[in-house]
Amino acid sequence: MINDALASLNDAEQLSANLAALANHENFAIRALPAGEFLGTYVQRLQDRGEARWTVRLDSPDHLPAVVADARYLELALNAVVKNASEAIGDAVVGEIVLRVRVERGVQQMLHIVIADSGGGLKLRAPARPFEIGVSSKSRHSHVGIGLWFARQVMRAFGGGAQIVEAGLAGRSFVQLSLPCVTGEQQSLPIIASQ
């Protein structure tokens, strides 16, 4: 019983630390964000501060449309999913995280970003509910799952979404974040450069 109480306290401490890592005290402001520039800068920052045991790569078409997003919140959402990907790689000597980007044309043009890793992707204990708070790919009481929930909420606020998709060999599952592209009536949104 004492072990369960200590484990629950550890869960609460982890949750608090995770929430602090996602904290952003600035107002949520949706803008037209040049996706290619933003993602290129984001991946470069990850490479600069990343661990030597894994690399980060952007797999994207040359010309990407602007998307409807807030750059600060989009970066936090990407960070949450990239953190999961780096944990999936584990203690492997080498590994790779790839942001695969594609544009889906249709009534609403969408930009999809699949965050794939060489560690085999998600191994969720509750695969039917990967975006719920508390769902984790780690063992019980080793991590309080909040990152995927946060990423989905941010994407929904932009008018997009997040889902689990199969990609790569052997049906590996990864997170796909989806953002709406700027349409004709949204051309009046302020365009911001990535920071």
Side-chain angles (χ1 to χ4, degrees), residues 180-195:
C181 298
V182 174
T183 61
E185 63 265 10
Q186 295 168 322
Q187 294 296 333
S188 61
L189 282 173
I191 295 182
I192 55 171
S194 60
Q195 301 171 344

Side-chain angles (χ1 to χ4, degrees), residues 43-98:
V43 167
Q44 185 60 53
R45 276 199 307 266
L46 285 178
Q47 289 170 341
D48 292 345
R49 70 175 185 235
E51 297 181 33
R53 63 187 178 86
W54 49 269
T55 60
V56 184
R57 183 169 57 86
L58 180 62
D59 179 8
S60 170
D62 287 337
H63 302 288
L64 293 175
V67 293
V68 178
D70 176 314
R72 296 158 303 175
Y73 281 91
L74 178 56
E75 183 166 350
L76 288 171
L78 285 167
N79 286 344
V81 181
V82 167
K83 182 173 190 255
N84 272 17
S86 67
E87 290 171 351
I89 293 172
D91 295 327
V93 177
V94 293
E96 181 180 53
I97 297 171
V98 180

